[in-house]
């Protein structure tokens, strides 16, 4: 825990393979010289590491490329990303989604399954497992499964501590349910951590980020924080529960026991409730086609649409939500000092309407030295950040321990 | 930044020396077998590492000891802590303190110097530097200087962003002032980070901690957070500014620009202001002996004393402060999920009066899974945590890079 664990030569080799793999995961094609420069290792050392990775099937040569800095011609290297496929599983209220990806973030397929809130969890889990087994049969290069669940998720116990409106799920042990079921390693993170990893690995933010905050504003409100390449987890894995940080300690009580939690003011449900009170005429009917009930995402989009058309009451509702998202950003900046905050999930679909207010709040409330440094953006991932994040959760592990997931390794598909 | 830096064999050796040194720093006497077990390295590897560290003068043998687990007799090893002395410097409002320590936390000497708020910073800095030079002459094993300053401290710029009531200090570049002045490496942290390092290295909390939060409640309010052996810093080094996290986003404006900052409700100044309003009769006269003005620490202690004697109004004031310290703990738990929160600095002197309320607030507001896991304590360091923390800031670097600070290393005293 205190960094007092020793390292031996095979740890060293694996750390260096991991460094090479992370560079190739981000840059697609690189020469050995490029990699040597970025890792700070000698070209001789890189030649040796790359040779072992080529032998393991992780890396291939792709012909001659021209260096970006020195214009010298050299052999290009690329990651055999498709040799490391991942099944990502998003578990959420009333739905789960599955996707097959590779470690470069390429998506091969995805499915989405809805279920009623009151459904027996075992029935839902069985359906989920069956779909995973089917995908494992079809995609033979799957090396790992990543699962994203709503937070706060207790990592050692394998269960979700608070799931609004889904109390029967509190006792489900996700580790037990999934670790034994498949011949592949399964990694589980809560949705906001997963989203942060998705932005980190697939978001194209470049390699210079120090601290990335993914601010999830959806059914729930949460945050995933990556500092110097690692998730900030806390002892039970439930750090950064921004949704349950109080913005008014004397405010109304939250389901979690705390008072005035941020989640109560700017989640999709909060937006929906405000809309029902102030602009019910903008909401679609509660019952959609075929008895399907209105999802809060649809409700949010209806309000955003009305606001874009100039409905003043809708604009006021949206502005109020945006102010609280802004307060959340202020807390993130003073509490975690990230260089980028990426806002994602349902509510962020109102990005163009929200951003001016968010930036105004931040500018007004944060000292200039910090607010001029931080970038605040709406996520522009092309895949649902939580599903993508489920895949990124497993990708993170593959990139940390390349040899373990190669054909020759302990968990490799060859075994 | 993404963990894509390669490691070579000398990095590996240094990491292993660091692991051995951290174990000996915590455990005083250990056998090679103990160290092998704790690091996970082979005994042959440890024998080799220890030999190099004995040659460098970092470690000595201390005769035969009996193993705690197996009762086997073996040669004991101990850190030559006095070979690595540190000068710790605490810079605060109206005073600075200096101390000479070694990396085991033993104190050799300390001094304290007061200065008026309006004093020219250059005069204060000159006095501080002169004292450091005098100590360097007297203590020849000093390998490094650690400095603790009030936060938020901007690590790249070397300056303090907000220092309440001391605006002339905003432009002082501490890095420039100190890095060139001495032949020793100087390391600077803000006070709460320094306090966290003091608790980590000298607090005797054992080696099993995952995440430690040091909650500074003094003139200012702040927090230092150590996760898996490393400070959580953020991109500019100003993460965990808990004092400027809002507990009421619609509350009064703080000097930092934010509204309803925690610092406004439970700092020493806040306690003092409340006391002036509700129990002025309990405060000592504003002017003490010899024209010295009342310090907020004295004011706080006077209120705590009155409360201990049963003064109901003083008890009410203290309870209100304790509630806000409790809210701060709730934010720390939901925001960082530490396994221990240690409350230190001026206000914590009312520990016995504060703790029942703090624990009650936490129990009421945090989900059971988290509040039953976290320990909340008052700091019981025997040295001022900020001064001790200044020394711990440099100790941290020595333990990370043992050979650099040994006689043979780049920064060693032999050079």
């Amino acid at each position: 825990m205190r960094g007092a664990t020793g390292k031996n030569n095979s740890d060293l080799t694996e750390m260096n393979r991991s460094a090479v793999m992370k560079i190739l995961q981000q840059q697609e094609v690189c020469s050995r010289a490029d990699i040597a420069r970025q890792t700070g290792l000698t070209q001789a050392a890189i030649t040796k590491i790359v040779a072992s990775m080529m032998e393991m099937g992780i890396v291939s040569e792709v012909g001659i490329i021209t260096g970006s800095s020195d214009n010298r011609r050299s052999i290009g290297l690329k990651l055999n990303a498709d040799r490391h496929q991942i099944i990502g599983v998003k578990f959420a209220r009333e739905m789960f989604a599955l996707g097959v990806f590779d470690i470069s973030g390429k998506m091969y397929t995805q499915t989405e399954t809805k279920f009623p809130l009151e459904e027996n969890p075992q029935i839902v889990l069985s359906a989920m497992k069956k779909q995973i087994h089917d995908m494992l049969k079809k995609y033979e290069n799957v090396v790992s499964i990543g699962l994203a669940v709503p937070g706060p998720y207790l990592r050692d116990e394998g269960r979700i501590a608070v799931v609004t409106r889904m109390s029967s799920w509190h006792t489900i042990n996700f580790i037990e349910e999934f670790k034994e079921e498949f011949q592949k390693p399964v990694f589980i993170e809560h949705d906001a951590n997963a989203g942060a990893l998705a932005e980190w690995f697939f978001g194209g933010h470049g390699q210079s980020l120090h601290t990335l905050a993914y601010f999830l504003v959806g059914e729930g409100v949460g945050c995933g924080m990556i500092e110097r390449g690692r998730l900030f987890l806390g002892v039970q894995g439930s750090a950064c529960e921004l949704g349950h940080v109080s913005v008014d300690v004397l405010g109304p009580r939250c389901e979690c026991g705390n008072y005035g939690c941020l989640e109560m003011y700017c989640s999709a449900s909060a937006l929906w409730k405000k809309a029902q009170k102030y602009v019910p005429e903008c909401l679609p009917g509660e019952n959609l086609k075929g008895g399907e009930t209105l999802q809060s995402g649809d409700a949010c989009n209806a309000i955003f649409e009305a606001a874009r058309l100039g409905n003043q009451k809708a604009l006021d509702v949206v502005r109020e939500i945006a102010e609280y998202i802004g307060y959340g950003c202020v807390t993130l900046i003073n509490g975690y000092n990230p260089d980028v905050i990426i806002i994602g999930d349902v509510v962020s679909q109102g990005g163009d309407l929200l951003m001016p207010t968010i930036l105004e709040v931040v500018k007004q409330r944060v000292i200039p030295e910090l607010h001029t440094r931080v970038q605040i953006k709406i996520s522009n991932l092309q895949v649902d950040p939580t599903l993508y994040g489920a895949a990124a959760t497993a990708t993170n592990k593959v990139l940390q321990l390349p040899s373990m997931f190669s054909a020759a390794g302990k968990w490799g598909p060859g075994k």
Side-chain angles (χ1 to χ4, degrees), chain A residues 2 11 28 67 80 87 123 201 209 221 245 312 331 387 400:
Chain A
R2 287 172 182 263
D11 296 329
E28 289 186 37
N80 295 330
I87 296 177
I123 292 175
F201 287 116
L209 283 183
V221 169
V245 167
Q312 191 55 48
T331 295
L387 176 60
Q400 271 166 28

Side-chain angles (χ1 to χ4, degrees), chain A residues 93-94 117 150-152 160-167 169-170 219-221 244 254-256 263 269 273:
Chain A
R93 288 178 193 85
E94 304 178 85
L117 263 186
I160 305 168
V162 183
V163 208
T164 318
R165 295 186 287 124
M166 287 182 71
S167 58
W169 285 84
H170 286 198
E219 278 283 339
V221 169
H244 298 289
C254 172
E255 216 170 309
C256 77
E263 182 166 297
S269 314
K273 272 185 211 154

